[in-house]
Amino acid sequence: MLILNQFANQLPLKNERKIDQYNFLFYAETIAQLMSFLIFVCETFNYTINMRSDRTFTMIKPDAVANGHIGAILAKINQAGFRIVALKYTKISKDQAKVFYEVHQERPFYDDLTTFMSSGPIVAAILEKNNAVADFRKLIGATNPAEAEEGTIRKEFAESMSRNAVHGSDSDENACIEGAFHFSGTEMF
């Protein structure tokens, strides 16, 4: 506390120019939030710089989660030789979905997509395998399940083109960006 009081004249405190318990807690919380943000930025930057062609990102979408297909989809992923590097059962907000799908912002389906993706829980995962992006895109099949090959995840579990069970990154660069959106460096093994 004494050390903090030495810097009190430089801080925009609400009342007096000394650190009391309220101001200490306020600044401690602010500093903790700033540190969390800086750690996130550094991990994201480091993860993106060190792009790996043997990793991809996927999400099991709210339709497949609601229909109880998590286990079956993860089993198909494992059977196809992918190693799960990170896995998270979570729910994203509409704002998070808008950021995640920002590349589609000008498309007519953008609002429906972000509403759907924030409508229920998802399972986010980073997968590892040689040629991960291309092999996973082949495993999930065409966006439209009616056009997907037999045995693909979308052919088996998707309801429609807009409720197509899974997301899969379309490039190594997007796999890095999308993975870093959902996972910190300490959550990947």
Side-chain angles (χ1 to χ4, degrees):
M1 193 79 83
L2 182 60
I3 294 171
L4 288 176
N5 276 325
Q6 293 174 0
F7 298 103
N9 289 332
Q10 298 172 0
L11 299 174
L13 300 178
K14 298 189 189 275
N15 299 322
E16 301 176 26
R17 286 281 184 204
K18 69 174 196 161
I19 303 279
D20 61 18
Q21 187 175 9
Y22 169 78
N23 288 323
F24 175 77
L25 293 175
F26 171 78
Y27 282 103
E29 183 179 337
T30 302
I31 290 167
Q33 290 171 350
L34 178 60
M35 288 177 64
S36 293
F37 174 74
L38 291 174
I39 289 168
F40 169 77
V41 168
C42 291
E43 287 173 346
T44 301
F45 178 75
N46 185 44
Y47 183 65
T48 303
I49 293 300
N50 297 314
M51 280 191 287
R52 298 177 60 157
S53 62
D54 63 341
R55 288 190 176 177
T56 192
F57 174 79
T58 187
M59 277 190 292
I60 301 175
K61 294 182 177 182
D63 58 319
V65 171
N67 291 327
H69 299 309
I70 296 171
I73 291 172
L74 291 175
K76 285 186 83 70
I77 290 169
N78 281 327
Q79 290 164 359
F82 288 91
R83 185 175 82 85
I84 297 172
V85 175
L87 184 71
K88 183 183 290 185
Y89 181 79
T90 189
K91 186 175 187 304
I92 60 176
S93 69
K94 174 84 171 189
D95 288 338
Q96 289 171 315
K98 285 181 176 183
V99 171
F100 187 83
Y101 285 105
E102 190 172 35
V103 296
H104 300 304
Q105 187 173 353
E106 301 302 320
R107 298 236 170 128
F109 60 81
Y110 177 72
D111 190 56
D112 289 341
L113 174 63
T114 57
T115 299
F116 166 63
M117 289 303 297
S118 59
S119 68
I122 56 122
V123 175
I126 296 176
L127 310 173
E128 186 175 81
K129 179 184 179 183
N130 286 336
N131 201 34
V133 171
D135 283 3
F136 191 69
R137 300 289 294 177
K138 184 173 172 68
L139 176 65
I140 65 176
T143 304
N144 184 345
E147 298 171 3
E149 291 182 30
E150 290 297 325
T152 61
I153 291 173
R154 287 179 173 153
K155 187 69 169 185
E156 199 169 325
F157 301 108
E159 297 175 4
S160 66
M161 192 163 162
S162 61
R163 294 176 175 267
N164 59 12
V166 292
H167 165 88
S169 297
D170 61 1
S171 68
D172 290 340
E173 181 182 16
N174 283 339
C176 288
I177 293 166
E178 293 169 357
F181 184 88
H182 286 278
F183 297 97
S184 71
T186 60
E187 295 176 300
M188 294 178 249
F189 301 98

